[in-house]
């Protein structure tokens, strides 16, 4: 028998060394791949939990609690202070940017309630205050003494195409109670420049002509969100004529708030709407003087699942138009048939 396969001790040792090295290398590579998968999966799963929570909010809500706002801030949400950039607001929230609804609205009477028409101008303004396409936006106001400015900003952002904007229930006070850090108010906060581009959505907007055309439709409900005295005919805010749009139901926007500026329970608000004969089968149009209080009401109703549009031109526009075409009704007694507080 041939001895050609006989190996010297040195060769045998070398071959065993190569085999052992190969086994070690294979085990090391396998362990690396396994470890990498685990790390990646942990990262993906962690991000999935955050995104899943965020998506749940995005799909179902316009209004969030202070606790939900905190979770969005952890994800990098933009914070907007909608309290009209007034100096007497001694404090604001850390990293919040002051915003005034008038900056994005027309300046000439009687169209002050309507948004600017130039999308490029609006895009520039929104990018300037740090609005990003991919980042949620949380907006807070003064719910007790305010006019619903926070709701106006959220309605505006949604109407301009930003579908990740939210109103915080209870506003500034609720956020502070929830543990948000505060800072001395400044009007000159300079946030990172955003990349948001306006892409209008008409789902929550009603024009004057559309409202006039649809006034007689059976399933249309018009809600006047002003004070009882305004509904009855007083003109304290520069309206050219007094009264209310014919057929409008009066629900002052603050009827849906408790004494602490927090929203009433969903069931309570739904009960109040049911008492007024308003159901989710209706198309609702809200209005006020200049589309601010009504925008806040639009945010609340949309969050509740109603189909609702804000007539932003509101009484400033309607009352300045021809009285022969754009009628107004005056109540004989202030607040007749209305729920007061």
């Amino acid at each position: 028998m041939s001895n050609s396969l006989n190996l010297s001790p040195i060769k045998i040792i070398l071959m065993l060394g190569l085999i052992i090295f190969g086994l070690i290398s294979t085990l090391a590579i396998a362990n690396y791949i396994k470890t990498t998968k685990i790390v990646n999966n942990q990262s993906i799963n962690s991000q999935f939990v955050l995104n899943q929570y965020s998506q749940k909010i995005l799909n179902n809500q316009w209004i969030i609690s202070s606790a939900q706002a905190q979770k969005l801030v952890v994800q990098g949400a933009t914070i907007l202070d909608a309290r009209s950039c007034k100096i007497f607001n001694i404090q604001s929230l850390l990293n919040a940017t002051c915003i005034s609804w008038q900056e994005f609205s027309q300046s000439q009477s009687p169209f002050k309630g309507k948004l600017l028409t130039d999308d490029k101008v609006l895009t520039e303004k929104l990018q300037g205050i740090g609005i990003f396409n991919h980042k949620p936006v949380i907006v807070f106001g003064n719910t007790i003494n305010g006019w619903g400015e926070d709701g106006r900003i959220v309605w505006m952002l949604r109407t301009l195409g930003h579908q990740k904007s939210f109103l915080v229930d209870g506003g500034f006070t609720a956020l502070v109670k929830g543990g948000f850090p505060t800072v001395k108010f400044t009007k000159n906060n300079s946030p990172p420049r955003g990349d948001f581009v306006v892409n209008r959505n008409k789902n929550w907007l009603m024009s004057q002509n559309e409202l006039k055309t649809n006034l007689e439709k059976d399933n249309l409900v018009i809600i006047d969100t002003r004070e009882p005295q305004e509904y009855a005919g007083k003109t304290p805010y520069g309206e050219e004529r007094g009264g209310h749009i014919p057929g409008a139901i009066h629900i002052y926007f603050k009827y849906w708030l408790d004494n602490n500026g927090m929203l009433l329970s969903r069931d309570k608000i739904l009960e109040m709407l049911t008492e007024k004969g308003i159901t989710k089968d209706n198309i609702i149009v809200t209005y006020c003087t200049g589309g601010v209080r009504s925008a806040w009401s639009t945010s609340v109703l949309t969050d509740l699942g109603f189909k609702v549009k804000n007539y932003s031109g509101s009484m400033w526009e309607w009352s300045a138009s021809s009285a022969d075409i754009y009628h107004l009704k005056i109540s004989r007694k202030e607040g007749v048939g209305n729920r007061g507080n």
Side-chain angles (χ1 to χ4, degrees):
M1 188 174 179
S2 174
N3 292 326
S4 61
L5 293 178
N6 290 337
L7 300 175
S8 68
I10 295 176
K11 288 183 177 180
I12 292 173
I13 292 171
L14 287 174
M15 288 181 67
L16 288 173
L18 289 173
I19 292 171
I20 292 170
F21 177 78
L23 288 172
I24 293 173
S25 299
T26 301
L27 289 171
I29 293 171
N31 186 62
Y32 172 79
I33 293 172
K34 181 179 179 181
T35 303
T36 301
K37 285 183 177 180
I38 291 173
V39 171
N40 286 341
N41 284 341
Q42 286 177 337
S43 176
I44 292 170
N45 289 339
S46 176
Q47 190 63 40
F48 175 74
V49 170
L50 291 174
N51 286 342
Q52 186 180 49
Y53 174 80
S54 179
Q55 193 61 44
K56 182 179 179 182
I57 295 178
L58 300 184
N59 287 340
N60 300 307
Q61 294 177 250
W62 279 41
I63 300 176
I64 58 176
S65 68
S66 61
Q68 290 173 317
Q70 287 181 3
K71 292 182 179 180
L72 290 180
V73 169
V74 168
Q75 296 181 52
T78 300
I79 310 172
L80 298 181
D81 184 344
R83 297 174 299 164
S84 300
C85 301
K86 294 178 180 177
I87 299 301
F88 61 74
N89 293 319
I90 299 174
Q91 290 184 318
S92 187
L93 298 183
L94 180 66
N95 296 324
T97 300
C98 172
I99 182 173
S100 173
W101 66 269
Q102 289 95 334
E103 298 176 51
F104 306 90
S105 303
Q106 299 179 36
S107 60
Q108 297 298 316
S109 295
F111 308 114
K112 291 183 177 181
K114 303 174 73 172
L115 295 174
L116 295 172
T117 58
D118 192 327
D119 287 356
K120 290 183 179 180
V121 171
L122 286 168
T123 294
E124 177 67 22
K125 285 177 174 289
L126 291 170
Q127 289 184 357
I129 60 170
I131 306 300
F132 290 84
N133 283 302
H134 67 285
K135 287 187 178 182
V137 179
I138 64 170
V139 189
F140 66 90
N142 182 336
T143 55
I144 294 178
N145 298 317
W147 291 75
E149 295 94 339
D150 44 1
R152 167 73 179 210
I153 298 301
V154 169
W155 167 82
M156 176 190 77
L157 289 170
R158 296 269 182 161
T159 298
L160 296 180
H162 196 295
Q163 304 312 311
K164 301 175 184 177
S165 48
F166 306 98
L167 166 69
V168 180
D169 184 17
F172 178 74
T173 301
L175 289 166
V176 173
K177 286 182 179 179
F180 267 74
T182 60
V183 294
K184 184 177 180 180
F185 177 85
T186 174
K187 192 175 179 180
N188 300 316
N189 183 34
S190 298
R193 184 171 185 81
D195 61 7
F196 174 71
V197 177
V198 169
N199 182 19
R200 296 194 188 229
N201 186 328
K202 295 182 179 180
N203 286 347
W204 306 288
L205 175 66
M206 176 70 74
S207 71
Q208 183 186 40
N209 289 335
E210 287 174 321
L211 180 54
K212 174 62 179 175
T213 300
N214 290 283
L215 272 179
E216 304 302 324
K217 290 192 174 181
D218 291 337
N219 71 329
L220 180 72
V221 171
I222 305 171
I223 298 179
D224 186 319
T225 66
R226 301 174 298 162
E227 302 165 32
Q229 64 163 346
E230 298 173 81
Y231 180 84
K234 299 290 180 64
T235 57
Y237 305 117
E239 307 92 325
E240 293 197 17
R241 291 182 288 138
H244 55 268
I245 295 174
I249 296 171
H250 179 252
I251 306 179
Y252 180 43
F253 83 110
K254 287 192 177 179
Y255 290 169
W256 293 336
L257 295 171
D258 65 19
N259 292 333
N260 297 314
M262 300 292 293
L263 279 166
L264 300 176
S265 70
R266 295 173 70 90
D267 288 343
K268 182 62 178 177
I269 296 175
L270 290 171
E271 179 184 336
M272 293 170 67
L273 293 167
T274 300
E275 288 177 0
K276 296 283 189 178
I278 302 171
T279 71
K280 291 184 178 179
D281 292 329
N282 295 122
I283 301 295
I284 301 173
V285 177
T286 62
Y287 76 93
C288 57
T289 306
V292 178
R293 292 172 285 183
S294 55
W296 184 91
S297 300
T298 295
S299 297
V300 173
L301 290 167
T302 303
D303 185 77
L304 289 169
F306 287 85
K307 299 181 289 289
V308 55
K309 295 174 180 286
N310 178 31
Y311 169 37
S312 61
S314 286
M315 280 293 290
W316 277 336
E317 180 181 48
W318 192 276
S319 68
S321 302
S322 172
D324 294 332
I325 300 174
Y326 299 97
H327 306 296
L328 286 171
K329 183 177 180 181
I330 297 178
S331 299
R332 293 185 178 181
K333 183 178 179 181
E334 181 179 310
V336 170
N338 299 322
R339 186 187 303 275
N341 66 351

